[in-house]
């Protein structure tokens, strides 16, 4: 009995690898956590030890099944998970990945071990639910667009809130949308719509560029014509005023000496006419 008891006691030694944490239980109650290295706890059935990998990043895919065949990775779409309804009542096919890990705190490790029975299934269900909620509040243009970061951040925050409410001891590190397309039956029609919108934006940009070039030119031409008209008006008025003043001076001279003035005008006229011959 003494030898058997000694052998039984030696089975209480256990090793915790790097990236793991040891959780010791005695009669089903958590008594402490241990760091990597060689440790000891009461042997089974008095004591039990769990060594979860708290530093390993786990990954799951929603809407897609991936299988490895040799060096080739095959993927199959799961429409039951990926088809979702948008806020503007369109159907969209969303495949995304979620990366998560165990929350590396004593409370987080304990919650992960004892509060949820199927961690992978729980995280996947929460991920699908959160994505459906965020997609249901968004328009299809925002979902199909290139800037999907706000949607991914919203899904991550919603997942973390739900899992914290469950006391799951899980930390979501990243949500990444993989493939976002309309359903296969109408994908060609959606592509035509997207192409038409791209053409519309291109034509609008070209029209705006043409307007930006033509309007300043027209305004400049208008200003030039107005300046020329003002200059011609001032010139014409000045010439008319000069002719009027000249006539008035000649009239004054004529009234003083009609014969002399008449003779002078006659000679000036002959000088102008004969000067060109």
């Amino acid at each position: 009995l003494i030898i058997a008891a000694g052998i039984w006691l030696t089975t209480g030694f256990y090793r915790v690898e790097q990236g793991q944490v040891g959780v010791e239980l005695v009669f089903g109650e958590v008594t402490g956590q241990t760091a990597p290295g060689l440790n000891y706890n009461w042997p089974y059935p008095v004591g039990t030890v769990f060594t979860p990998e708290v530093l390993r990043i786990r990954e799951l895919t929603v809407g897609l099944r991936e299988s490895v065949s040799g060096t080739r990775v095959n993927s199959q779409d799961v429409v039951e998970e990926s088809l979702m309804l948008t806020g503007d009542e369109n159907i969209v096919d969303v495949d995304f990945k979620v990366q998560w890990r165990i929350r590396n705190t004593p409370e987080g490790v304990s919650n992960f071990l004892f509060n949820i029975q199927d961690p992978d299934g729980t995280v996947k269900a929460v991920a699908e639910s959160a994505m459906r909620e965020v997609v249901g509040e968004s328009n299809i243009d925002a979902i199909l667009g290139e800037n999907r970061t706000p949607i991914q951040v919203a899904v991550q925050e919603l997942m973390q809130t739900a899992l914290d409410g469950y006391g799951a001891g899980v930390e979501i590190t990243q949500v990444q949308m993989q493939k976002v397309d309309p359903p296969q039956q109408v994908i060609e029609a959606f592509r035509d719509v997207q192409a038409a919108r791209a053409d519309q934006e291109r034509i609008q940009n070209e029209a705006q560029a043409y307007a930006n070039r033509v309007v300043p030119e027209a305004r400049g031409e208008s200003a030039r014509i107005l300046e020329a008209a003002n200059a011609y008006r001032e010139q014409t008025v000045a010439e008319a005023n000069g002719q009027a003043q000249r006539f008035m001076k000649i009239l004054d001279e004529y009234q003083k000496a009609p014969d002399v003035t008449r003779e002078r005008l006659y000679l000036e006229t002959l000088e102008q006419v004969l000067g060109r011959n």
Side-chain angles (χ1 to χ4, degrees):
L1 291 177
I2 294 175
I3 294 174
I7 295 175
W8 175 72
L9 290 174
T10 58
T11 60
F13 289 99
Y14 66 93
R15 176 176 292 278
V16 179
E17 302 295 338
Q18 291 294 330
Q20 297 179 343
V21 63
V23 181
E24 297 179 347
L25 284 77
V26 176
F27 294 114
E29 182 180 357
V30 178
T31 58
Q33 296 184 5
T34 56
L38 185 63
N39 299 277
Y40 183 83
N41 188 35
W42 284 98
Y44 183 83
V46 177
T48 309
V49 177
F50 294 97
T51 56
E53 296 177 301
V54 294
L55 299 182
R56 182 168 71 91
I57 300 296
R58 297 164 171 81
E59 184 178 87
L60 60 89
T61 305
V62 180
L64 198 66
R65 292 289 182 274
E66 295 179 342
S67 59
V68 180
S69 177
T71 59
R72 185 178 179 182
V73 178
N74 300 321
S75 59
Q76 180 181 2
D77 195 20
V78 183
V79 295
E80 294 82 3
E81 299 177 357
S82 60
L83 289 182
M84 303 180 185
L85 189 65
T86 65
D88 50 358
E89 299 182 354
N90 285 292
I91 298 177
V92 66
D93 191 350
V94 180
D95 298 335
F96 64 101
K97 290 186 177 182
V98 177
Q99 294 181 349
W100 61 279
R101 63 185 178 187
I102 303 172
R103 192 181 294 277
N104 192 10
T105 62
E107 182 182 3
V109 174
S110 298
N111 290 339
F112 175 79
L113 291 175
F114 307 116
N115 283 359
I116 52 176
Q117 185 176 7
D118 181 13
D120 288 325
T122 301
V123 173
K124 185 173 183 178
V126 171
E128 183 178 347
S129 175
M131 182 61 76
R132 290 186 182 279
E133 180 175 344
V134 174
V135 169
E137 297 175 351
S138 305
N139 294 331
I140 191 169
D141 293 336
I143 299 172
L144 295 178
E146 296 180 356
N147 187 16
R148 300 169 183 168
T149 302
I151 297 177
Q152 297 174 161
V153 172
V155 173
Q156 180 176 348
E157 293 176 351
L158 194 60
M159 286 185 63
Q160 192 64 64
T161 301
L163 291 170
D164 291 344
Y166 298 156
V170 171
E171 180 181 358
I172 305 299
T173 60
Q174 186 180 21
V175 175
Q176 185 176 11
M177 300 174 73
Q178 299 292 309
K179 179 179 70 69
V180 182
D181 288 323
Q184 192 66 33
Q185 297 84 345
V186 296
I187 189 171
E188 294 299 330
F190 267 87
R191 288 176 178 172
D192 292 340
V193 172
Q194 294 296 325
R197 289 179 178 174
D199 292 339
Q200 179 186 9
E201 293 180 359
R202 178 181 57 81
I203 294 173
Q204 287 178 348
N205 292 334
E206 291 177 355
Q208 187 64 40
Y210 177 75
N212 293 337
R213 176 173 57 85
V214 171
V215 171
E217 291 180 356
R219 289 176 178 172
E221 183 66 17
S222 174
R224 186 188 64 80
I225 293 174
L226 287 175
E227 291 295 330
N230 291 331
Y232 177 75
R233 181 190 62 184
E234 293 176 358
Q235 179 184 358
T236 303
V237 171
E239 290 179 353
N241 290 333
Q243 292 293 338
Q245 292 176 2
R246 176 175 174 275
F247 178 79
M248 295 303 296
K249 290 181 179 180
I250 294 175
L251 178 61
D252 292 340
E253 295 296 328
Y254 181 79
Q255 290 176 350
K256 294 177 181 178
D259 296 335
V260 176
T261 302
R262 189 184 301 111
E263 184 71 19
R264 183 172 61 83
L265 292 175
Y266 173 73
L267 294 176
E268 289 177 355
T269 302
L270 287 179
E271 182 181 358
Q272 292 177 1
V273 172
L274 296 177
R276 294 192 293 267
N277 299 325

